[in-house]
Structure formats: C-alpha cells, structure tokens
Amino acid sequence: MKSIKRLIKMTSALMILMVAFSSATYAALQPGGPSTNGNTNINSTLSYQEVIKILEDIEGSSKGKVDVFTLDQYGKSEQGRSIYVAKVGKGPQKIWIQAQIHGNEKLVTEAALQLLKTYAKSGEKDVEKVLEESTLYFIPMYNPDGAEMNLRQTKLTDSGKLIDLNRDWTAAGFEAVESRVVYAYWADVNPDFAIDLHHQGFKQVYGTNESTSFSLGISLAPDGPTLPSIGYNEITKQMMAYVYDELKDYGYTHIDRYQVGVDREAGTGYDIDIRGGVVSAMMMGLNYKNLNPEGHSHPAVFFETKGNTSESSLGQKSNGYLTKQNYLALKSLVHGYVTGEVEKVNPDDWYNIPYYPLAGYLTDYNGVIPAGANSGY
Ligand SMILES: [Zn+2]
C-alpha cells in the first residue's frame, strides 16, 4: 500500500516535471519569469529616454566623477539604440553592474541609477572607500529595445526572431547585436566581479507563507555540475551569504535562494546551471572570436526582485521598497567586496539562506540533472 502510494506520488511528480520543463513552459522557469508580451501600465517606470536624461544629469552634477558614454563604437541595438555605460571611481578593482537585460524587468534600472547617484554625490566614508579602491561600470539598460517594447527579449531586425539576451553568450556565437556589443566591451574592460539585476514572478520562502521579495542567485549552481571546477564555488557563496546577512533584517524583505520549478507540496526546488547566461559565460571565461584570448573570467552573481510588468504583478505601492532593497543589496555587496569583508564570510553560510531542498539542476546543456549527479565540465 505504502509503496503504491509512493509510486503514484513519484509518477505524478514526474508528470509535473515533464510539464514544467516542456518547451512551452520552459521560459516560465528562466530567471526573470515568463516572457509574455507586457500589458501592464509601465508609466511609473523609466523609459529609455528618461534613463539617458538621468545619466546625463548625474554626470553633469558629479563634478567630473561620473563619465557617461555609449558603446556605439562596438555597435547599437537591433533597432539602432545606443547602449549606455556610466563609469565612476578611480580604483584598480573593476566592478561590472548590469540591469534590464530583460526588457520587462524595470525597477532594477532605477536601483542601479540610484546607486550611481550615491557614488556621484555622497561623501560618506564607505562610498569614498569604494571609489578609491574600485572603478564601477554601470550598464543600467542592457536591452533598450526590449525595454521600449516591454518585452523580455530583443527582436532581430532581419527575421523578427525574439532573442533572450541572457541565453546568447555562447561559444557557438551570438544571435543578437546587443550581445556582440556588450561582449566586446566586457572583453576590453576585463572586470574583476559582476552583478546582474533581474525580476522574477511570485514565489514563497521555503517553510513560510511569506512572499519572496528578493532572491539571491548564482547562475552556475554552487556545488553543482559546473562551478566547483572553475574556481568560483566558494567566493560566490560568500558573496550571497554576505548580502543575506546585511539585508535580512531590513524591513519588508523576505529573502531566499533563487530556485525554479518550486513544488511547495513536495518541498523541493531546482537550482539553475545555465552556461549560456551572460554572467555564467563571464565566470567560464568565454572566448568568442578570440576577443578574450587569455580566457579572462571572474565571479558573478545575480539578484531577482519580486514582480514583473508582464504579469501585472508590479504594484506601484511596493516599487519603492523593492527598489530600495536592490539598492541596499548592491551597495553593501560592492562595499563588502572592495573591503575584503566578503572573503571573511564562511562559505557554508550560503546554506543559511532559505531554500527548497534540492531536487536537481535545470541546465541549458543537459536538461534536468538530478541532485547528486555530477556531469563534470
Ligand atoms: Zn531577468
């Protein structure tokens, strides 16, 4: 009896899995959530032109501290928009912060701009320390076409094909011009560390009824199939544990680990191991067209904020605190990295961040890998 029940349970779990990871719903499990065309009112979020205006204002009032420029020398977006970068700081450690690679993930751009403004204006000790020790490269709107269309992807001009820019940094080559532009610039900068900013749909913190406001993610799962062999297994865990400790007591935050395919009933979830994601490719030292011949690589992490314009789940009332938690997480992680505080964290503290017991890994190279298996890299 018991074993039949178990068999039924296993079979239904397997069916859920098959449905969950079929191609039709695969997109719903990607970082950032579903990719349906947006129909939410986005008047409260920043347009491309507004972002340019804010960047120019920040540069103008920064007394020479902030340098704003485009990547036009490498190319423009599919629809001919310039991709903007803001550079601040004078130190040797290079920190890369990118937002809105998914055009329907809006508040992260605001958070990045707020942090840039802090670096431009604040004279506080922690900020000055960061600017002495590091140079920060902000790309507040990686996907301007998607942002203007309120769409996760960009659209290829020739074919009309939609391309997820966060699956386009592959050794086989890039489909969208935005990928070629940003990759070429990344290979010129050679950063030491990167943070990537996203939004996700609704989920709940494991073992609670609290709606997750913020998820901490590593796109090659710690202790998973890929990361241990490329050297960033410990430092990425330390980074996320550091952010968790800094933010967990901040009002309104309910922080957990980024996972997909969460099954509340079974109490399980999947980590991702996505090698074609931009920050994964950075960690793996992608050398495309010999632009990165020395195979430069560096650790990278991502944040996921609750709510997505495509799901009508981005309430204006909550925008302020959702933006603020992003701002605070970014600010504290940059400071912790620059001062070496991050390296003092016990990597095992990563497991203090709430997470669903691991069922396996969702990959973009070998389907679903059950927990415990090791595909090697
Ligand atoms: Zn995203």
Side-chain angles (χ1 to χ4, degrees):
M1 192 62 192
K2 222 174 179 181
S3 63
I4 291 172
K5 260 189 182 166
R6 199 183 300 141
L7 189 68
I8 291 168
K9 219 175 171 183
M10 277 175 65
T11 309
S12 59
L14 195 66
M15 281 172 68
I16 289 166
L17 255 184
M18 285 164 68
V19 172
F21 296 117
S22 69
S23 59
T25 52
Y26 187 79
L29 299 171
Q30 312 282 303
S35 60
T36 47
N37 262 305
N39 53 11
T40 305
N41 184 329
I42 55 160
N43 290 342
S44 64
T45 61
L46 296 171
S47 70
Y48 175 64
Q49 288 302 329
E50 285 166 336
V51 169
I52 296 173
K53 173 78 168 65
I54 290 169
L55 284 171
E56 286 170 350
D57 287 350
I58 292 174
E59 181 185 45
S61 60
S62 73
K63 299 184 178 131
K65 279 163 93 176
V66 175
D67 186 16
V68 172
F69 51 95
T70 71
L71 298 183
D72 288 357
Q73 65 182 105
Y74 303 92
K76 294 184 177 187
S77 76
E78 287 287 331
Q79 292 170 15
R81 294 186 178 89
S82 298
I83 296 170
Y84 278 77
V85 179
K87 192 175 157 189
V88 63
K90 294 191 157 91
Q93 302 188 69
K94 296 176 186 171
I95 301 173
W96 177 284
I97 296 172
Q98 63 179 47
Q100 218 176 144
I101 190 170
H102 293 138
N104 59 351
E105 300 174 6
K106 301 289 187 186
L107 297 181
V108 291
T109 293
E110 172 80 35
L113 291 171
Q114 283 184 12
L115 184 60
L116 179 66
K117 203 179 275 181
T118 295
Y119 291 142
K121 295 210 160 156
S122 165
E124 66 182 89
K125 219 174 112 197
D126 282 1
V127 167
E128 291 309 313
K129 173 79 176 164
V130 164
L131 299 180
E132 278 163 28
E133 300 291 337
S134 70
T135 303
L136 296 109
Y137 300 79
F138 285 82
I139 302 184
M141 192 178 263
Y142 185 121
N143 178 7
D145 295 356
E148 287 296 277
M149 296 184 288
N150 193 23
L151 190 68
R152 178 183 174 93
Q153 302 93 335
T154 192
K155 191 185 282 184
L156 297 188
T157 310
D158 293 345
S159 62
K161 187 179 173 189
L162 297 176
I163 301 294
D164 185 339
L165 293 175
N166 203 28
R167 296 293 178 278
D168 201 27
W169 278 36
T170 66
F174 307 132
E175 291 202 78
V177 66
E178 290 88 341
S179 303
R180 290 196 287 274
V181 169
V182 179
Y183 176 81
Y185 182 59
W186 171 81
D188 278 353
V189 170
N190 277 342
D192 294 296
F193 169 42
I195 310 172
D196 183 24
L197 304 178
H198 294 262
H199 279 264
Q200 65 184 350
F202 289 122
K203 101 190 237 224
Q204 279 172 310
V205 178
Y206 176 67
T208 76
N209 288 315
E210 300 293 353
S211 174
T212 302
S213 64
F214 201 55
S215 293
L216 304 172
I218 302 168
S219 57
L220 298 169
D223 302 327
T226 311
L227 200 55
S229 57
I230 60 174
Y232 303 126
N233 200 51
E234 304 301 293
I235 186 69
T236 48
K237 286 196 281 191
Q238 289 171 312
M239 287 168 171
M240 297 285 83
Y242 180 84
V243 173
Y244 181 68
D245 280 342
E246 291 283 305
L247 254 76
K248 66 180 173 6
D249 298 326
Y250 171 69
Y252 302 107
T253 54
H254 299 292
I255 306 174
D256 65 6
R257 183 203 294 186
Y258 181 77
Q259 289 180 301
V260 295
V262 162
D263 182 340
R264 275 175 72 76
E265 211 168 300
T268 55
Y270 292 81
D271 282 357
I272 57 166
D273 209 67
I274 305 285
R275 293 178 183 168
V278 166
V279 290
S280 301
M282 288 173 172
M283 289 196 274
M284 294 167 74
L286 177 65
N287 180 21
Y288 174 68
K289 288 206 170 162
N290 213 29
L291 289 172
N292 182 24
E294 68 283 8
H296 176 77
S297 69
H298 56 81
V301 296
F302 69 92
F303 298 154
E304 293 271 350
T305 291
K306 177 169 87 173
N308 186 306
T309 51
S310 301
E311 289 185 326
S312 307
S313 57
L314 204 58
Q316 291 189 28
K317 271 189 203 159
S318 57
N319 286 3
Y321 84 78
L322 292 175
T323 304
K324 185 76 183 283
Q325 68 179 7
N326 247 305
Y327 167 89
L328 291 173
L330 269 177
K331 191 179 178 203
S332 68
L333 180 53
V334 167
H335 185 260
Y337 174 79
V338 160
T339 56
E341 288 296 315
V342 164
E343 287 174 58
K344 295 178 191 159
V345 173
N346 180 351
D348 288 340
D349 288 354
W350 158 256
Y351 293 100
N352 295 339
I353 304 168
Y355 64 99
Y356 286 79
L358 196 64
Y361 306 98
L362 175 64
T363 78
D364 59 350
Y365 53 88
N366 196 18
V368 176
I369 299 177
N374 197 326
S375 75
Y377 166 61

